[in-house]
Amino acid sequence: MRIAALALALALAPLAAHADQPLSAGQRFAQDAIIVDTHIDAPTGLLRHWADLGLDTPKVEFDYPRARQGGLDIAFMSIYTSPGEDAAGTATQTAHTQIDAVEAMVGRRPEQFAVLRSPKDFERLNAHNQRVLLALGMENGAPIGDDLSRLKLFFDRGVRYITLAHSEDNRISDSSYSRKRTWKGLSPFGEKVVDEMNRLGIMVDVSHLSDDAVRDVLARSKAPVIASHSGLRHFTPGFERNLSDELAKAVAAKGGVVQVVFGNAFVDPASAADTQAYFVASAKFEEEQAAARKRGETPKSSEAFDKQWEAAHPPRTVKIDAVLDQIDYAVKLLGADHVGIGSDFDGVSGALPEGLKSVADYPNLIDGMKARGHSDETIRRVLGGNLLRVWAEVEAKAVRS
């Protein structure tokens, strides 16, 4: 069904493949299936340095030619704001500017991209199998501030899921990375946020949340919830950023879906340990700089800390099997109806497994799943069918006025 689109993409991306090469089984499957990736961090990069992602752009992991080569149909653009931007009061503006960047990309390349606001619009917007449809997911609820009305404002701009917190506690929820545990789960305001998201039809995302916060969300939400980009803690013991078996099963029991992430830090035990150590060291660094400010000293920059850390902890070599192991385990634990993919492309500084380095590489995942005995039906569900089902259910339960 989508072979012609693939031929065009291959012609536009000569560094990755050639149009005259025969398609692998995984490539043929990818062009026919609907692939939904719930977490791609392209907007953050666009604000740092604008690039025309309608063209082959080797320094990033998402662009149009490679997306079509890989069979990607729906890419959730991550509207990410940091705890620092929250503290500075700039998170709301940053979020709007990132959405502006996505809209500008669509405006410049309407034949290649379109904004997707509802699963009902998929067939209409993708009628000729040429476009990559861009949905919006907000990573960190900080842009909401303490104003519930902003949820409607961001919904109207196209945001269809919100990751309630990121790497630190905020007004809404505790973070899995935080040592403070300000609310011991959701805050009272966070409960109202979940209620309003249910009312509007915005998917509640529990990735990044503390275990207690995930439990609170599951108890509060009247609609299925998602984990937009999470691994399973079974493979990374003690790493709370990944979901425990108990919580993953609870997400599934509520009708939701766990979108398996690709980044090394979430699928490889050694890389996960590095990540945990980073957040401990970073928190200590920030405490030291705060103390320096009180003494009237000039604090060191967090950028310098990160640069030094990255130099001392280069990315490890991880094979695609680490992601396939997660998918295998998730399907057995949760059932084939409750597993999806949320890569974190452009969000993990290139620390990705071999064979999953960009949006061109979904066929490698398909080939791996086929080799491990997954049925075509299961693969289609994992690639996108499950997420579209949950999105439609959340939308159906909304009572917008």
Side-chain angles (χ1 to χ4, degrees), residues 328-383:
D328 287 351
Y329 187 80
V331 169
K332 291 175 183 176
L333 181 71
L334 310 177
D337 290 333
H338 302 286
V339 185
I341 55 172
S343 64
D344 215 352
F345 284 138
D346 287 317
V348 290
S349 302
L352 291 155
E354 295 177 348
L356 285 176
K357 296 295 188 181
S358 80
V359 291
D361 291 336
Y362 302 109
N364 295 337
L365 194 71
I366 294 167
D367 285 334
M369 291 184 69
K370 283 180 173 289
R372 290 176 176 226
H374 292 282
S375 69
D376 287 359
E377 182 180 1
T378 290
I379 295 172
R380 288 178 184 277
R381 291 177 184 176
V382 170
L383 290 177

CSV table of all heavy atoms in Angstrom, one decimal, residues 328-383:
chain,number,residue,atom,x,y,z
A,328,ASP,N,9.2,-8.2,24.3
A,328,ASP,CA,8.8,-9.6,24.6
A,328,ASP,C,8.2,-9.7,25.9
A,328,ASP,O,7.1,-10.3,26.1
A,328,ASP,CB,10.0,-10.5,24.5
A,328,ASP,CG,10.5,-10.8,23.1
A,328,ASP,OD1,9.8,-10.4,22.1
A,328,ASP,OD2,11.6,-11.4,22.9
A,329,TYR,N,8.9,-9.1,26.9
A,329,TYR,CA,8.4,-9.2,28.3
A,329,TYR,C,7.1,-8.5,28.5
A,329,TYR,O,6.2,-9.0,29.2
A,329,TYR,CB,9.5,-8.7,29.2
A,329,TYR,CG,9.2,-8.9,30.7
A,329,TYR,CD1,9.5,-10.1,31.3
A,329,TYR,CD2,8.7,-7.9,31.5
A,329,TYR,CE1,9.3,-10.3,32.7
A,329,TYR,CE2,8.4,-8.0,32.8
A,329,TYR,CZ,8.7,-9.3,33.4
A,329,TYR,OH,8.5,-9.5,34.8
A,330,ALA,N,7.0,-7.3,27.9
A,330,ALA,CA,5.8,-6.5,28.1
A,330,ALA,C,4.6,-7.3,27.5
A,330,ALA,O,3.5,-7.3,28.1
A,330,ALA,CB,5.9,-5.2,27.4
A,331,VAL,N,4.7,-7.9,26.3
A,331,VAL,CA,3.6,-8.6,25.7
A,331,VAL,C,3.2,-9.7,26.6
A,331,VAL,O,2.0,-10.0,26.7
A,331,VAL,CB,4.0,-9.0,24.3
A,331,VAL,CG1,3.0,-10.0,23.7
A,331,VAL,CG2,4.2,-7.8,23.3
A,332,LYS,N,4.1,-10.5,27.1
A,332,LYS,CA,3.8,-11.6,28.0
A,332,LYS,C,3.2,-11.1,29.3
A,332,LYS,O,2.2,-11.7,29.8
A,332,LYS,CB,5.1,-12.4,28.3
A,332,LYS,CG,5.6,-13.2,27.1
A,332,LYS,CD,6.9,-13.9,27.5
A,332,LYS,CE,7.5,-14.6,26.3
A,332,LYS,NZ,8.8,-15.2,26.5
A,333,LEU,N,3.7,-10.0,29.8
A,333,LEU,CA,3.2,-9.5,31.1
A,333,LEU,C,1.8,-8.8,31.0
A,333,LEU,O,0.9,-9.0,31.8
A,333,LEU,CB,4.2,-8.5,31.7
A,333,LEU,CG,3.8,-7.9,33.0
A,333,LEU,CD1,4.0,-8.9,34.2
A,333,LEU,CD2,4.7,-6.7,33.3
A,334,LEU,N,1.6,-8.0,29.9
A,334,LEU,CA,0.4,-7.2,29.8
A,334,LEU,C,-0.6,-7.6,28.8
A,334,LEU,O,-1.7,-7.2,28.8
A,334,LEU,CB,0.9,-5.8,29.5
A,334,LEU,CG,2.0,-5.1,30.3
A,334,LEU,CD1,2.4,-3.8,29.8
A,334,LEU,CD2,1.6,-5.1,31.8
A,335,GLY,N,-0.1,-8.5,27.8
A,335,GLY,CA,-1.0,-8.8,26.7
A,335,GLY,C,-0.7,-7.9,25.5
A,335,GLY,O,-0.2,-6.8,25.7
A,336,ALA,N,-0.9,-8.4,24.3
A,336,ALA,CA,-0.5,-7.7,23.1
A,336,ALA,C,-1.3,-6.4,22.9
A,336,ALA,O,-0.9,-5.6,22.1
A,336,ALA,CB,-0.8,-8.7,21.9
A,337,ASP,N,-2.4,-6.2,23.6
A,337,ASP,CA,-3.2,-5.0,23.5
A,337,ASP,C,-2.7,-3.8,24.3
A,337,ASP,O,-3.3,-2.7,24.2
A,337,ASP,CB,-4.7,-5.3,23.9
A,337,ASP,CG,-5.4,-6.2,22.9
A,337,ASP,OD1,-5.0,-6.2,21.7
A,337,ASP,OD2,-6.3,-6.9,23.4
A,338,HIS,N,-1.6,-4.0,25.0
A,338,HIS,CA,-1.2,-2.9,26.0
A,338,HIS,C,0.2,-2.5,25.9
A,338,HIS,O,0.8,-2.0,26.8
A,338,HIS,CB,-1.6,-3.3,27.4
A,338,HIS,CG,-3.0,-3.7,27.6
A,338,HIS,ND1,-4.0,-2.7,27.6
A,338,HIS,CD2,-3.7,-4.9,27.6
A,338,HIS,CE1,-5.2,-3.3,27.7
A,338,HIS,NE2,-5.0,-4.6,27.7
A,339,VAL,N,0.8,-2.7,24.7
A,339,VAL,CA,2.2,-2.4,24.4
A,339,VAL,C,2.3,-1.6,23.2
A,339,VAL,O,1.7,-1.8,22.2
A,339,VAL,CB,3.1,-3.7,24.3
A,339,VAL,CG1,4.6,-3.4,24.2
A,339,VAL,CG2,2.8,-4.6,25.5
A,340,GLY,N,3.2,-0.5,23.2
A,340,GLY,CA,3.5,0.3,22.0
A,340,GLY,C,4.9,0.7,22.0
A,340,GLY,O,5.8,0.2,22.7
A,341,ILE,N,5.2,1.8,21.2
A,341,ILE,CA,6.6,2.3,21.2
A,341,ILE,C,6.6,3.8,21.3
A,341,ILE,O,5.8,4.5,20.8
A,341,ILE,CB,7.3,1.9,19.8
A,341,ILE,CG1,6.5,2.3,18.6
A,341,ILE,CG2,7.5,0.4,19.8
A,341,ILE,CD1,7.2,2.1,17.3
A,342,GLY,N,7.6,4.3,22.1
A,342,GLY,CA,7.8,5.7,22.3
A,342,GLY,C,9.3,5.9,22.4
A,342,GLY,O,9.9,5.9,23.4
A,343,SER,N,10.0,6.1,21.2
A,343,SER,CA,11.4,6.0,21.1
A,343,SER,C,12.3,6.9,21.9
A,343,SER,O,13.3,6.4,22.5
A,343,SER,CB,11.8,6.2,19.6
A,343,SER,OG,11.5,7.6,19.2
A,344,ASP,N,11.9,8.1,22.1
A,344,ASP,CA,12.7,9.2,22.6
A,344,ASP,C,13.8,9.6,21.7
A,344,ASP,O,14.9,10.1,22.1
A,344,ASP,CB,13.4,8.8,24.0
A,344,ASP,CG,13.5,9.9,25.0
A,344,ASP,OD1,13.3,11.1,24.6
A,344,ASP,OD2,13.9,9.7,26.1
A,345,PHE,N,13.6,9.5,20.4
A,345,PHE,CA,14.5,10.0,19.4
A,345,PHE,C,14.7,11.5,19.6
A,345,PHE,O,13.8,12.2,19.9
A,345,PHE,CB,14.0,9.7,17.9
A,345,PHE,CG,14.2,8.3,17.5
A,345,PHE,CD1,13.2,7.6,16.8
A,345,PHE,CD2,15.3,7.6,17.7
A,345,PHE,CE1,13.3,6.3,16.3
A,345,PHE,CE2,15.5,6.3,17.3
A,345,PHE,CZ,14.5,5.6,16.6
A,346,ASP,N,15.9,11.9,19.4
A,346,ASP,CA,16.4,13.3,19.6
A,346,ASP,C,16.3,13.8,21.0
A,346,ASP,O,16.4,15.0,21.3
A,346,ASP,CB,15.6,14.3,18.6
A,346,ASP,CG,16.0,14.1,17.2
A,346,ASP,OD1,17.2,14.1,16.9
A,346,ASP,OD2,15.1,14.1,16.3
A,347,GLY,N,16.1,12.8,21.9
A,347,GLY,CA,16.0,13.2,23.3
A,347,GLY,C,17.0,12.6,24.2
A,347,GLY,O,17.0,12.9,25.5
A,348,VAL,N,17.8,11.7,23.7
A,348,VAL,CA,18.8,11.0,24.6
A,348,VAL,C,20.2,11.1,24.1
A,348,VAL,O,21.1,10.3,24.3
A,348,VAL,CB,18.4,9.5,24.7
A,348,VAL,CG1,17.2,9.3,25.5
A,348,VAL,CG2,18.3,8.8,23.3
A,349,SER,N,20.5,12.2,23.3
A,349,SER,CA,21.8,12.6,22.9
A,349,SER,C,22.5,11.4,22.1
A,349,SER,O,23.7,11.2,22.3
A,349,SER,CB,22.7,13.0,24.1
A,349,SER,OG,22.1,14.1,24.7
A,350,GLY,N,21.7,10.7,21.3
A,350,GLY,CA,22.3,9.7,20.5
A,350,GLY,C,22.6,8.4,21.2
A,350,GLY,O,23.1,7.4,20.6
A,351,ALA,N,22.3,8.3,22.5
A,351,ALA,CA,22.5,7.1,23.3
A,351,ALA,C,21.4,6.1,23.0
A,351,ALA,O,20.5,5.9,23.8
A,351,ALA,CB,22.6,7.4,24.8
A,352,LEU,N,21.5,5.4,21.8
A,352,LEU,CA,20.5,4.5,21.4
A,352,LEU,C,21.1,3.2,21.0
A,352,LEU,O,22.3,3.1,20.6
A,352,LEU,CB,19.8,5.1,20.1
A,352,LEU,CG,18.9,6.4,20.4
A,352,LEU,CD1,18.8,7.2,19.2
A,352,LEU,CD2,17.5,5.9,20.9
A,353,PRO,N,20.3,2.1,21.0
A,353,PRO,CA,20.9,0.8,20.6
A,353,PRO,C,21.2,0.7,19.2
A,353,PRO,O,20.7,1.4,18.3
A,353,PRO,CB,19.7,-0.2,21.0
A,353,PRO,CG,18.8,0.6,21.9
A,353,PRO,CD,18.9,2.0,21.5
A,354,GLU,N,22.2,-0.2,18.9
A,354,GLU,CA,22.5,-0.5,17.5
A,354,GLU,C,21.3,-1.0,16.7
A,354,GLU,O,20.5,-1.8,17.2
A,354,GLU,CB,23.6,-1.6,17.4
A,354,GLU,CG,24.9,-1.1,18.1
A,354,GLU,CD,26.0,-2.2,18.1
A,354,GLU,OE1,25.6,-3.4,17.8
A,354,GLU,OE2,27.2,-1.9,18.4
A,355,GLY,N,21.1,-0.4,15.6
A,355,GLY,CA,19.9,-0.8,14.8
A,355,GLY,C,18.7,0.0,15.0
A,355,GLY,O,17.7,-0.2,14.4
A,356,LEU,N,18.7,0.9,16.0
A,356,LEU,CA,17.6,1.8,16.3
A,356,LEU,C,18.1,3.2,16.5
A,356,LEU,O,17.9,3.9,17.5
A,356,LEU,CB,16.8,1.3,17.6
A,356,LEU,CG,16.0,0.1,17.4
A,356,LEU,CD1,15.4,-0.3,18.7
A,356,LEU,CD2,14.8,0.4,16.4
A,357,LYS,N,18.8,3.7,15.5
A,357,LYS,CA,19.5,5.0,15.6
A,357,LYS,C,18.6,6.2,15.1
A,357,LYS,O,19.0,7.3,15.4
A,357,LYS,CB,20.8,5.0,14.9
A,357,LYS,CG,21.8,4.0,15.4
A,357,LYS,CD,22.2,4.4,16.9
A,357,LYS,CE,23.4,3.5,17.3
A,357,LYS,NZ,23.8,3.8,18.7
A,358,SER,N,17.6,5.9,14.3
A,358,SER,CA,16.7,7.0,13.8
A,358,SER,C,15.4,6.4,13.4
A,358,SER,O,15.1,5.2,13.5
A,358,SER,CB,17.4,7.7,12.6
A,358,SER,OG,17.2,6.9,11.4
A,359,VAL,N,14.5,7.3,12.9
A,359,VAL,CA,13.2,6.9,12.5
A,359,VAL,C,13.2,6.1,11.2
A,359,VAL,O,12.2,5.6,10.8
A,359,VAL,CB,12.3,8.2,12.3
A,359,VAL,CG1,12.0,8.8,13.6
A,359,VAL,CG2,12.9,9.2,11.3
A,360,ALA,N,14.4,5.9,10.6
A,360,ALA,CA,14.5,5.0,9.5
A,360,ALA,C,14.5,3.6,9.9
A,360,ALA,O,14.3,2.7,9.1
A,360,ALA,CB,15.7,5.3,8.7
A,361,ASP,N,14.7,3.3,11.2
A,361,ASP,CA,15.0,2.0,11.7
A,361,ASP,C,13.9,1.1,12.3
A,361,ASP,O,14.1,0.0,12.8
A,361,ASP,CB,16.1,2.1,12.7
A,361,ASP,CG,17.4,2.5,12.1
A,361,ASP,OD1,17.6,2.3,10.9
A,361,ASP,OD2,18.3,3.1,12.9
A,362,TYR,N,12.6,1.6,12.2
A,362,TYR,CA,11.5,0.8,12.7
A,362,TYR,C,11.5,-0.6,12.0
A,362,TYR,O,11.1,-1.6,12.6
A,362,TYR,CB,10.2,1.5,12.5
A,362,TYR,CG,10.1,2.8,13.2
A,362,TYR,CD1,10.1,4.0,12.4
A,362,TYR,CD2,10.0,2.9,14.6
A,362,TYR,CE1,10.0,5.2,13.0
A,362,TYR,CE2,9.9,4.1,15.2
A,362,TYR,CZ,9.9,5.3,14.4
A,362,TYR,OH,9.8,6.5,15.0
A,363,PRO,N,11.9,-0.7,10.7
A,363,PRO,CA,11.9,-2.1,10.1
A,363,PRO,C,12.8,-3.0,10.8
A,363,PRO,O,12.5,-4.2,10.8
A,363,PRO,CB,12.4,-1.8,8.6
A,363,PRO,CG,11.9,-0.4,8.4
A,363,PRO,CD,12.1,0.3,9.7
A,364,ASN,N,13.9,-2.6,11.4
A,364,ASN,CA,14.8,-3.5,12.1
A,364,ASN,C,14.0,-4.0,13.4
A,364,ASN,O,14.2,-5.2,13.7
A,364,ASN,CB,16.0,-2.7,12.6
A,364,ASN,CG,16.9,-2.3,11.4
A,364,ASN,OD1,16.8,-2.8,10.3
A,364,ASN,ND2,17.7,-1.3,11.6
A,365,LEU,N,13.2,-3.2,14.0
A,365,LEU,CA,12.4,-3.7,15.1
A,365,LEU,C,11.4,-4.7,14.7
A,365,LEU,O,11.2,-5.7,15.3
A,365,LEU,CB,11.7,-2.5,15.8
A,365,LEU,CG,11.1,-2.7,17.2
A,365,LEU,CD1,12.2,-2.8,18.2
A,365,LEU,CD2,10.2,-1.6,17.5
A,366,ILE,N,10.8,-4.4,13.5
A,366,ILE,CA,9.8,-5.4,13.0
A,366,ILE,C,10.5,-6.7,12.7
A,366,ILE,O,10.0,-7.8,13.0
A,366,ILE,CB,9.2,-4.8,11.7
A,366,ILE,CG1,8.3,-3.6,12.1
A,366,ILE,CG2,8.3,-5.8,11.0
A,366,ILE,CD1,7.9,-2.7,10.9
A,367,ASP,N,11.6,-6.7,12.0
A,367,ASP,CA,12.4,-7.9,11.7
A,367,ASP,C,12.7,-8.7,12.9
A,367,ASP,O,12.6,-9.9,13.0
A,367,ASP,CB,13.7,-7.6,10.9
A,367,ASP,CG,13.4,-7.2,9.5
A,367,ASP,OD1,12.4,-7.6,8.9
A,367,ASP,OD2,14.3,-6.5,8.9
A,368,GLY,N,13.1,-7.9,14.0
A,368,GLY,CA,13.4,-8.6,15.3
A,368,GLY,C,12.2,-9.2,15.9
A,368,GLY,O,12.3,-10.4,16.4
A,369,MET,N,11.1,-8.6,15.9
A,369,MET,CA,9.9,-9.1,16.4
A,369,MET,C,9.4,-10.4,15.7
A,369,MET,O,9.0,-11.4,16.3
A,369,MET,CB,8.8,-8.1,16.5
A,369,MET,CG,9.0,-7.0,17.5
A,369,MET,SD,7.6,-5.8,17.6
A,369,MET,CE,6.4,-6.8,18.4
A,370,LYS,N,9.5,-10.3,14.3
A,370,LYS,CA,9.2,-11.5,13.5
A,370,LYS,C,10.1,-12.6,13.9
A,370,LYS,O,9.6,-13.8,14.0
A,370,LYS,CB,9.3,-11.1,12.0
A,370,LYS,CG,8.1,-10.3,11.5
A,370,LYS,CD,8.3,-10.0,10.0
A,370,LYS,CE,7.1,-9.3,9.4
A,370,LYS,NZ,5.9,-10.2,9.3
A,371,ALA,N,11.4,-12.4,14.0
A,371,ALA,CA,12.3,-13.4,14.3
A,371,ALA,C,12.0,-14.1,15.6
A,371,ALA,O,12.4,-15.3,15.9
A,371,ALA,CB,13.7,-12.9,14.2
A,372,ARG,N,11.4,-13.3,16.5
A,372,ARG,CA,11.1,-13.8,17.9
A,372,ARG,C,9.7,-14.5,18.0
A,372,ARG,O,9.3,-14.8,19.0
A,372,ARG,CB,11.3,-12.7,18.9
A,372,ARG,CG,12.7,-12.3,19.1
A,372,ARG,CD,12.9,-11.2,20.1
A,372,ARG,NE,14.3,-10.9,20.3
A,372,ARG,CZ,14.8,-10.6,21.5
A,372,ARG,NH1,14.0,-10.7,22.6
A,372,ARG,NH2,16.1,-10.3,21.7
A,373,GLY,N,9.1,-14.6,16.8
A,373,GLY,CA,7.8,-15.3,16.8
A,373,GLY,C,6.5,-14.5,17.0
A,373,GLY,O,5.5,-15.1,17.1
A,374,HIS,N,6.6,-13.2,17.0
A,374,HIS,CA,5.4,-12.4,17.2
A,374,HIS,C,4.6,-12.4,15.9
A,374,HIS,O,5.1,-12.3,14.8
A,374,HIS,CB,5.7,-10.9,17.6
A,374,HIS,CG,6.4,-10.8,18.9
A,374,HIS,ND1,5.6,-10.8,20.1
A,374,HIS,CD2,7.7,-10.6,19.3
A,374,HIS,CE1,6.4,-10.6,21.1
A,374,HIS,NE2,7.7,-10.5,20.7
A,375,SER,N,3.3,-12.5,16.1
A,375,SER,CA,2.4,-12.6,14.9
A,375,SER,C,2.3,-11.2,14.3
A,375,SER,O,2.6,-10.2,14.9
A,375,SER,CB,1.0,-13.0,15.3
A,375,SER,OG,0.4,-12.0,16.1
A,376,ASP,N,1.9,-11.2,13.0
A,376,ASP,CA,1.7,-9.9,12.3
A,376,ASP,C,0.7,-9.1,13.0
A,376,ASP,O,0.9,-7.8,13.1
A,376,ASP,CB,1.2,-10.2,10.9
A,376,ASP,CG,2.3,-10.7,10.0
A,376,ASP,OD1,3.5,-10.9,10.5
A,376,ASP,OD2,2.1,-11.0,8.8
A,377,GLU,N,-0.4,-9.7,13.6
A,377,GLU,CA,-1.4,-8.9,14.3
A,377,GLU,C,-0.8,-8.2,15.5
A,377,GLU,O,-1.1,-7.1,15.8
A,377,GLU,CB,-2.5,-9.8,14.7
A,377,GLU,CG,-3.7,-9.1,15.4
A,377,GLU,CD,-4.8,-10.0,15.7
A,377,GLU,OE1,-4.7,-11.2,15.5
A,377,GLU,OE2,-5.8,-9.5,16.3
A,378,THR,N,0.0,-9.0,16.3
A,378,THR,CA,0.6,-8.4,17.5
A,378,THR,C,1.5,-7.3,17.1
A,378,THR,O,1.5,-6.2,17.7
A,378,THR,CB,1.4,-9.5,18.2
A,378,THR,OG1,0.5,-10.4,18.8
A,378,THR,CG2,2.3,-8.9,19.3
A,379,ILE,N,2.3,-7.4,16.1
A,379,ILE,CA,3.3,-6.4,15.6
A,379,ILE,C,2.5,-5.1,15.2
A,379,ILE,O,2.9,-4.0,15.6
A,379,ILE,CB,4.2,-6.9,14.5
A,379,ILE,CG1,5.0,-8.0,15.0
A,379,ILE,CG2,5.0,-5.8,13.9
A,379,ILE,CD1,5.8,-8.7,13.9
A,380,ARG,N,1.4,-5.3,14.5
A,380,ARG,CA,0.6,-4.1,14.1
A,380,ARG,C,0.1,-3.4,15.3
A,380,ARG,O,0.0,-2.1,15.4
A,380,ARG,CB,-0.5,-4.5,13.2
A,380,ARG,CG,-0.1,-4.9,11.8
A,380,ARG,CD,-1.2,-5.4,10.9
A,380,ARG,NE,-0.8,-5.8,9.6
A,380,ARG,CZ,-0.5,-5.0,8.6
A,380,ARG,NH1,-0.7,-3.7,8.7
A,380,ARG,NH2,-0.1,-5.5,7.4
A,381,ARG,N,-0.4,-4.1,16.3
A,381,ARG,CA,-0.9,-3.5,17.6
A,381,ARG,C,0.2,-2.7,18.3
A,381,ARG,O,0.0,-1.6,18.7
A,381,ARG,CB,-1.5,-4.6,18.5
A,381,ARG,CG,-2.7,-5.3,18.0
A,381,ARG,CD,-3.1,-6.3,19.0
A,381,ARG,NE,-4.3,-7.1,18.5
A,381,ARG,CZ,-4.8,-8.1,19.1
A,381,ARG,NH1,-4.3,-8.6,20.2
A,381,ARG,NH2,-5.9,-8.7,18.6
A,382,VAL,N,1.4,-3.3,18.4
A,382,VAL,CA,2.5,-2.7,19.1
A,382,VAL,C,3.0,-1.5,18.3
A,382,VAL,O,3.3,-0.4,18.9
A,382,VAL,CB,3.6,-3.7,19.3
A,382,VAL,CG1,4.9,-3.0,19.8
A,382,VAL,CG2,3.2,-4.8,20.3
A,383,LEU,N,3.0,-1.5,17.0
A,383,LEU,CA,3.5,-0.4,16.2
A,383,LEU,C,2.6,0.8,16.3
A,383,LEU,O,3.1,1.9,16.1
A,383,LEU,CB,3.7,-0.8,14.8
A,383,LEU,CG,4.8,-1.8,14.4
A,383,LEU,CD1,4.7,-2.2,13.0
A,383,LEU,CD2,6.2,-1.2,14.8
